[in-house]
């Protein structure tokens, strides 16, 4: 898996991430979701530079005009819940993509810090020969992305897999390098150094799903 980190170059995306992290701003749920959506758009634009293109011709009122248009069959698959606003941002740009949805949540069997990631819901298009874009704003331990990849196996073999995320941990990214094909690519806004003992990214931003949609009960 190759990794492309957006924040290696300064851009307007820095502001979106700063607002996601800021304790005084992130409690505005609408802004929080919107900033994730905006990052989905930025990351989709970056990713679009590596799709395959055909040389097409369109007719303007004044005559023919050559234009390169992507010919990839895209499927955007988001990981519920926090993947939803990221999904919307990616879909804003790849508006004719097919869409899949899958759930992944942290189950704490003993009500302590130990958890496993369970995948329970899946509604997916065929992935055979298509370009799969997996979307989840947080990549902490990497278990959600890894377990989702396993759960999607029966849906067919994609031609290429892109992962789109907002904040990742170094540890989680290293883990995913061993789980995803070598030619897959992670498009991520920024990478943090640490995970704490609850599997949260530090400094990260907190719980993305809760900040988008409200607190969930641990189970
Ligand atoms: O890399 P990981 O260690 O798997 O952690 C990242 C996952 O944690 C969050 O989801 P969560 O399970 O909290 O569910 P939610 O999005 O429904 O809140 C986040 O949206 C990722 O899916
Ligand atoms: O830091 C983290 C880890 C998992 N899920 C989140 O939302 N944030
Ligand atoms: Mg999740």
């Amino acid at each position: 898996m190759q990794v492309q980190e957006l924040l290696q170059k300064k851009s307007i995306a820095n502001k979106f991430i700063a607002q996601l992290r800021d304790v005084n701003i992130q409690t505005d749920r609408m802004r929080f979701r919107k900033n994730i959506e905006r990052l989905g758009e930025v990351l989709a634009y970056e990713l679009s530079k590596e799709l395959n293109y055909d040389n097409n011709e369109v007719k303007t009122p004044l005559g023919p005009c050559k234009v390169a248009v992507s010919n990839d069959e895209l499927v955007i698959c988001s990981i519920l819940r926090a993947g939803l606003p990221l999904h919307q941002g990616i879909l804003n740009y790849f508006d004719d993509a097919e869409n899949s949805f899958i759930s992944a949540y942290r189950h704490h069997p003993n009500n302590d810090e130990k958890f496993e990631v369970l995948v329970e819901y899946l509604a997916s298009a065929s992935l055979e020969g298509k370009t799969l874009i997996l979307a989840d704003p947080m990549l902490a331990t990497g278990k959600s992305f890894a377990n989702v990849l396993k759960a999607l196996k029966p849906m067919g073999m994609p031609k290429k897999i892109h992962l789109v995320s907002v904040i990742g941990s170094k540890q989680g990214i290293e883990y995913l390098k061993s789980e995803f094909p070598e030619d897959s690519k992670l498009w991520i806004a920024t990478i943090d150094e640490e995970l704490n003992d609850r599997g949260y990214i530090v400094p990260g931003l907190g719980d993305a799903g809760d900040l988008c949609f409200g607190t969930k009960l641990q189970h």
Side-chain angles (χ1 to χ4, degrees), residues 90-104:
I90 299 167
L91 186 59
N92 289 348
Y93 278 22
F94 300 133
D95 52 90
D96 48 8
E98 291 180 282
N99 298 272
S100 300
F101 298 91
I102 189 162
S103 71

Side-chain angles (χ1 to χ4, degrees), residues 79-83 102-106 117-118 136-138 144-145 148 207 209 216:
I79 303 178
L80 304 172
R81 293 177 295 169
I102 189 162
S103 71
Y105 72 97
R106 290 179 167 194
V117 173
L118 301 182
D136 191 330
M138 304 306 283
S144 295
F145 271 121
V148 158
D207 191 304
K216 62 181 169 280

Side-chain angles (χ1 to χ4, degrees), residues 5-18 38-39 41-43 45-46 49 188-190:
E5 187 185 4
L6 190 68
L7 252 60
Q8 280 177 348
K9 286 191 188 152
K10 295 189 181 106
S11 75
I12 187 64
N14 289 42
K15 182 176 130 184
F16 306 155
I17 293 164
R38 296 201 282 188
L39 285 162
E41 291 174 348
V42 173
L43 290 160
Y45 175 71
E46 291 299 320
K49 296 174 188 172
I188 190 155
T190 188

